[in-house]
Amino acid sequence: MQKKMAYSFPDEVLEHVFSFIKSHKDRNAVSLVCKSWYEIESWCRRKIFVGNCYAVSPRMVIKRFPEVRSVEVKGKPHFADFNLVPDGWGGNILPWIKEMAGAYPWLEEIRLKRMVVTDESLELIAKSFKNFKVLVLSSCEGFSTDGLAAIAASCKNLKELDLRESEVDDLSGHWLIHFPETYTSLVSLNISCLGSDEVSFSALERLVGRCPNLRTLRLNRAVPLDKIASILHRAPQLVEFGTGAYAAELRPDVFSNLAGAFSNCKELRSLSGFWDVVPAYLPAIYSVCSRLTTLNLSYATIQSRDLIKLVSHCPSLQRLLVLDYIEDSGLEALASSCKDLQELRVFPSDPFGVEPNVSLTEQGLVAVSLGCPKLQSVLYFCRRMSNVALVTIAQNRPNLTHFRLCIIEPKTADYLTLESLDVGFGAIVEHCKDLRRLSLSGLLTDRVFEYIGTYAKKLEMLSVAFAGDSDLGLHHVLSGCESLRKLEIRDCPFGDKALLANAGKLETMRSLWMSSCSVSFGACKLLGQKMPRLNVEVIDERAPPDSRPERCPVEKLYIYRSVAGPRFDMPPFVWMKDEDSALGLS
Amino acid sequence: MGRATSSSSSSIESSNHFAFSTTGASSSSQRDLSTDLRLGLSISTFPYAREQPSDWPPIKPQLSQALAAEEENECNSATFFVKVYMDGIPIGRKLDLLAHESYYELIRTLEYMFNTNIIWAEAEVDGDHYEKYHVLTYEDKEGDWMMVGDVPWEMFLSAVRRLKITKC
């Protein structure tokens, strides 16, 4: 006899309650409570996040979530940023757009990361979604300014067009002209990745002038410094602004126009751009510096003393991205001026040089860890490190959540003791209990992975290069890191054993990348056969992996969980188990 | 760097059905070339040859492109030369203001250039010997002659057209 559940709330009430639950994790949890909650949640979910475009098929998504307004999809693995994923590997968004064009006519937002987006996809978006509002293409490629013209021409309600770090085929700066004169709803425009070709400047000025809600504007390098004032005068309400090339011959009238225009922008909180900086023009931004929370100087090749002057004008700074020209002295100045600093990224100005070109060492990072109590996120390129420094950093800043250290020369030992940096990184994972992301570098043995497996219980993403001695290292991580979602490894002596012994773990993660390691083709086949819900992709540009003995290591390996089965768009250099052999074994 | 030759780590449960063996990794920073040769792999020349592998260090292409372009523009420092005249000397000099970071540096250069003591807004003056001093003034955008040193250095740079050193 079935006992009927007395529902306390009708569906409409549950739906209303669920509408307050925004995070994907929470909505996923809601859907697991019971069948009726699963169903209600499914048809009232408005935003979906697909962390791996091959983990699920668009049809499956559409079937479960029929009323979606906002979609976020990610494609290639992170190491694609550093040219490790060959061109043509995959991640094309077109199949998704085609399915969604029919199923989600009211789709408003598409956010893509590391995906291949062709003009055809952009044209389809422009044509299919009448109320389209937000397009964010982060590190995408495959499209040209023609596709952008289609978006500009058709999307009457577009609010956000953000092309951050995408590779765009810059055919013509005139795509901007395709925004009709009646179009006034722009809130955010990021074209900083566009090439050196002229963007139609008069079209840009007119666009900016007629969009009163514009809050974010990031220009590309080609927009000259002497045009900034006229843009800013048309948009004094800007909150985030990215300059173009910040260089011109020093002319007092240009300087004072620029300074005046900046001083008008009372809401400005974030600045970026700053290619080719002429330091004498930096004081033009001093009037806004006291309110700045984000400053991105990643392209500003200026010396330490100019950086120190600038940074000491910015006491409210929360996020700083800068080149290593800032040097240890600049970081010490940062540590004493910017007590609200939460995130620091220091990039190498001479990444391929053998000798250091600037005086930036571990000391700068130690100073910031000591002086900035709110520091949570670090990305730091340097040429030397010591265990003592890492231990100090860990003890100073147990609140770190993201710690990415890149010692430029692989396998560099502790410069003081010539030992490995196991103990230093061990201290990081031991003290920083909320650490979610970690990148290792320097000389490291299996011991560091033992520390990581033991302590890094909240770690979600780990990046490893040129480290470890044996499969023991990989085993420690796979068996110990309970929260691990993404693991990317290159040039480490990890082989078959740890992988096969922890096969089940791989289904609890989004993905595993291993390149230039020692995993054999035979192990890959075995893994693919044993784990039907894992896609085990062997990427080998040299020759088909089955043309060599099975014990030969594969060049690159990308393993990810999927409910969609093998993908249909694999290029010739990607091999995956075929359906027949999987069926044959079961 | 010593390495254990057997799986002696105590953190691995003894019930493992496989034994970890070392891959014979050497203690130096060299790759194990013998293994590479056995497996018929092409040997990577990194880190021996200094040809740039485009995948290390892990920086995004936008940054490496921007840095490469910057190297081409190394001689991109701006200059700002102004004329400087001293009372009684018909021939003037020229001075790059951007080669100086502050008033103090400018005064020092001028005192050396013209071999005199210069009064400006922050100078300390010995009251009895006025005749030995010269005053530093500048012509601003509006054509007015002002004493040097009252406004911040950067503001001065944006306003100054030329300098004059006059007798007290």
Side-chain angles (χ1 to χ4, degrees), chain A residues 35-194:
Chain A
K35 252 182 120 178
S36 73
W37 280 39
Y38 175 95
E39 276 158 23
I40 296 168
E41 196 282 319
S42 290
W43 49 259
C44 73
R45 193 181 300 210
R46 295 284 175 266
K47 288 180 82 145
I48 47 165
F49 169 74
V50 178
N52 175 2
C53 62
Y54 291 121
V56 67
S57 76
R59 271 200 205 151
M60 289 164 123
V61 172
I62 289 165
K63 186 163 175 230
R64 180 171 168 189
F65 302 111
E67 296 290 334
V68 162
R69 297 277 184 274
S70 163
V71 163
E72 183 176 350
V73 187
K74 295 188 178 182
K76 299 183 206 174
H78 172 242
F79 272 176
D81 286 352
F82 317 123
N83 297 323
L84 281 169
V85 177
D87 283 340
W89 170 82
N92 197 322
I93 195 61
L94 189 60
W96 287 80
I97 307 291
K98 282 183 171 163
E99 296 282 351
M100 294 193 301
Y104 297 149
W106 297 111
L107 190 69
E108 294 177 5
E109 305 183 352
I110 294 177
R111 293 179 170 83
L112 305 176
K113 189 165 186 180
R114 290 192 200 97
M115 297 212 67
V116 173
V117 183
T118 55
D119 285 345
E120 187 185 349
S121 290
L122 292 177
E123 282 151 18
L124 194 53
I125 290 172
K127 214 170 48 174
S128 313
F129 308 118
K130 299 300 169 206
N131 200 23
F132 195 67
K133 292 190 174 141
V134 172
L135 183 63
V136 178
L137 301 177
S138 180
S139 302
C140 295
E141 49 159 0
F143 60 101
S144 78
T145 44
D146 286 353
L148 297 178
I151 298 282
S154 307
C155 300
K156 295 195 304 277
N157 296 318
L158 191 73
K159 284 166 62 170
E160 214 175 304
L161 179 60
D162 186 340
L163 307 176
R164 55 180 86 156
E165 295 179 321
S166 291
E167 257 182 62
V168 185
D169 203 359
D170 218 337
L171 299 177
S172 155
H174 293 282
W175 65 274
L176 267 173
I177 292 175
H178 289 261
F179 281 110
E181 288 301 315
T182 48
Y183 168 74
T184 59
S185 40
L186 196 62
V187 173
S188 172
L189 180 67
N190 179 353
I191 52 171
S192 55
C193 62
L194 288 186

Side-chain angles (χ1 to χ4, degrees), chain A residues 1-26:
Chain A
M1 178 134 138
Q2 247 185 347
K3 193 172 178 191
K4 235 186 168 170
M5 286 292 290
Y7 292 111
S8 357
F9 302 112
D11 290 0
E12 295 79 18
V13 176
L14 277 173
E15 186 184 340
H16 183 66
V17 171
F18 293 169
S19 70
F20 294 101
I21 299 171
K22 308 280 187 204
S23 99
H24 300 292
K25 273 177 135 180
D26 290 341

Side-chain angles (χ1 to χ4, degrees), chain A residues 6 114 183 252-253 261 334 363 382 445 477-479 512 555 558:
Chain A
R114 290 192 200 97
Y183 168 74
D253 53 333
L334 181 71
Q363 292 307 317
C382 60
T445 74
V477 171
L478 290 177
S479 58
L512 167 65
E555 191 177 69
Y558 184 47

Side-chain angles (χ1 to χ4, degrees), chain A residues 76-90 114 141 167 461-466 487-492 512-517 537-542 554-558 567 571 573-574, chain B residues 31 44 46 52-61:
Chain A
K76 299 183 206 174
H78 172 242
F79 272 176
D81 286 352
F82 317 123
N83 297 323
L84 281 169
V85 177
D87 283 340
W89 170 82
R114 290 192 200 97
E141 49 159 0
E167 257 182 62
M461 182 167 179
L462 178 65
S463 307
V464 186
F466 302 102
L487 179 57
E488 47 185 27
I489 300 171
R490 60 164 292 176
D491 293 274
C492 295
L512 167 65
W513 169 278
M514 291 178 76
S515 55
S516 304
C517 297
E537 292 192 9
V538 174
I539 300 166
D540 205 321
E541 287 182 285
R542 301 165 301 178
V554 300
E555 191 177 69
K556 297 172 184 177
L557 176 60
Y558 184 47
R567 58 185 176 109
F573 53 82
V574 175
Chain B
R31 280 173 65 103
S44 157
F46 183 81
Q52 321 299 357
S54 56
D55 55 32
W56 188 266
I59 59 173
K60 292 188 184 173

Side-chain angles (χ1 to χ4, degrees), chain B residues 92-111:
Chain B
R93 303 288 302 269
K94 265 194 143 176
L95 181 71
D96 178 9
L97 288 179
L98 290 188
H100 302 85
E101 286 178 18
S102 67
Y103 286 120
Y104 293 97
E105 282 189 22
L106 174 64
I107 300 301
R108 207 166 41 232
T109 301
L110 287 170
E111 287 184 330

